[in-house]
Amino acid sequence: MTQTPTRVALGLGSNMGNSRENLEMAVRYLDATPGITVVARSSVYRTAPWGPITQDDYSNMCITIDTVLKPRALLERGLAIEARMGRIRDERWGPRLIDIDILLFGTEKIEKDGLIVPHPRMSERAFVLIPLTEIWPDAPLGDGRTAAQALETCPDKEGVVKLDD
């Protein structure tokens, strides 16, 4: 019996080293994972850093995947890719070589063991909604709105700049 894959949205970000190459490498690692197929990828956007720490601007993007992995296994795979690429988790909201976040896992709502899906505060962050809306405008955010609807009232849209491909 074949398992039906779930459509998942991932947010990727980097602001250390060659951030665009870091994003590309993370997408390649994800796509090479058994049980994961990259379906769509957004453009890359430059965004000012979020939080209290002085650091370089981020390069951000979203991808959609189809996966037969369970949410916990997908989270663990993302963390393993981050570690393989050299990410060190030492400072909340600090610089990141790579960050892979599960934004949406189908229509599931998950809140256990360090995994919260849909991603909290996603609907307030233009650096997530702009690339997500580019590739999945009707993505269900779990609050009754789609990504495109949430983007309409999202602050800080002008701070998210599309980079040339």
Side-chain angles (χ1 to χ4, degrees):
M1 182 170 113
T2 20
Q3 224 178 336
T4 304
T6 302
R7 178 65 44 98
V8 174
L10 301 175
L12 286 73
S14 174
N15 74 338
M16 295 174 69
N18 184 335
S19 57
R20 290 187 71 168
E21 181 53 36
N22 294 340
L23 296 175
E24 291 299 322
M25 186 179 298
V27 172
R28 285 194 303 271
Y29 283 145
L30 286 161
D31 201 34
T33 300
I36 294 177
T37 303
V38 174
V39 175
R41 50 184 299 148
S42 73
S43 302
V44 177
Y45 293 84
R46 187 183 73 241
T47 310
W50 221 79
I53 297 168
T54 303
Q55 57 188 303
D56 291 336
D57 286 352
Y58 276 86
S59 293
N60 291 293
M61 69 182 298
C62 287
I63 64 172
T64 54
I65 64 171
D66 283 343
T67 186
V68 294
L69 299 180
K70 298 290 184 212
R72 173 66 48 196
L74 180 60
L75 174 65
E76 288 171 3
R77 179 62 185 147
L79 293 172
I81 290 169
E82 290 178 357
R84 179 177 182 183
M85 291 179 62
R87 176 165 180 191
I88 298 167
R89 293 176 170 270
D90 59 353
E91 205 169 13
R92 183 178 171 105
W93 293 318
R96 295 182 172 126
L97 183 73
I98 190 67
D99 189 32
I100 303 170
D101 288 329
I102 301 173
L103 303 174
L104 299 167
F105 199 96
T107 56
E108 288 190 46
K109 291 187 180 189
I110 305 162
E111 215 170 317
K112 59 184 173 190
D113 303 326
L115 178 59
I116 302 173
V117 177
H119 194 282
R121 297 170 305 285
M122 170 177 61
S123 63
E124 305 159 16
R125 295 183 173 165
F127 72 87
V128 172
L129 290 175
I130 289 172
L132 181 59
T133 298
E134 180 183 321
I135 57 172
W136 192 7
D138 58 345
L141 299 190
D143 62 2
R145 297 180 297 165
T146 65
Q149 290 168 332
L151 182 59
E152 290 173 12
T153 58
C154 186
D156 302 323
K157 290 185 282 233
E158 63 283 342
V160 180
V161 179
K162 184 176 180 179
L163 298 175
D164 293 332
D165 292 327

